[in-house]
Amino acid sequence: MKDLICDEFQNVVADLLIRHRSILDILSKLSESTCRVNRAVTKSVTDCGCLSIQAEKLQIPDHINNFEELRNYLDNHLHGQLCSNCEEIVLNEMGKMLFYTAALCNTLDISLYDVFIKEYKKASTLGIFNMT
């Protein structure tokens, strides 16, 4: 079922993508959409204030024995939660990013579902050694 959703999404993208069919257009639109996601998250911090970022140098104690303990010391530096307005904007921008990712897959004749499955298998097999 999930592969059908990905396939159908790719089909819809193929039907809708008329103006920016060139690989160069798709690559630049994908890059632009990624920047817009970054900008939307940034604005949730700087304009709205629903999120804040508090970052400092990572200090890992010497007494850490395993990765589970290490996880307790790692922080994403993000505080707060997206308000409904900022969440809507971020979701919209992420949707565009997915749209152009699907367009790139179409152009390169790659199944988006295969990309998900390959990455899932790599992440689940390698676990913490995936280096993501």
Side-chain angles (χ1 to χ4, degrees):
M1 178 69 174
K2 293 177 183 172
D3 59 332
L4 294 175
I5 293 171
C6 283
D7 289 346
E8 185 58 30
F9 181 62
Q10 278 190 258
N11 291 335
V12 168
V13 168
D15 290 343
L16 294 176
L17 194 65
I18 297 168
R19 187 164 171 245
H20 302 289
R21 291 193 76 87
S22 163
I23 186 70
L24 296 175
D25 285 334
I26 292 168
L27 288 171
S28 66
K29 293 298 274 183
L30 179 58
S31 180
E32 177 187 2
S33 64
T34 302
C35 291
R36 291 181 66 89
V37 170
N38 292 343
R39 183 68 181 138
V41 173
T42 299
K43 288 185 84 158
S44 70
V45 174
T46 60
D47 282 357
C48 178
C50 61
L51 295 179
S52 65
I53 298 172
Q54 296 172 347
E56 56 189 42
K57 182 179 177 184
L58 181 62
Q59 301 289 333
I60 300 175
D62 293 333
H63 68 277
I64 300 297
N65 296 318
N66 58 50
F67 287 108
E68 286 302 316
E69 287 183 38
L70 178 61
R71 194 177 309 251
N72 294 329
Y73 286 94
L74 300 178
D75 185 14
N76 65 11
H77 303 138
L78 193 61
H79 299 276
Q81 188 172 354
L82 286 172
C83 68
S84 59
N85 184 53
C86 290
E87 182 178 22
E88 181 64 29
I89 294 168
V90 170
L91 284 172
N92 185 35
E93 299 302 344
M94 290 178 84
K96 291 176 188 172
M97 190 172 65
L98 286 175
F99 180 92
Y100 287 108
T101 299
L104 182 60
C105 286
N106 286 343
T107 302
L108 298 174
D109 197 28
I110 294 173
S111 165
L112 183 59
Y113 182 74
D114 290 347
V115 174
F116 282 132
I117 293 300
K118 184 175 182 176
E119 191 61 26
Y120 169 75
K121 286 180 181 177
K122 184 174 84 173
S124 61
T125 300
L126 296 176
I128 57 174
F129 300 104
N130 189 29
M131 301 300 283
T132 57

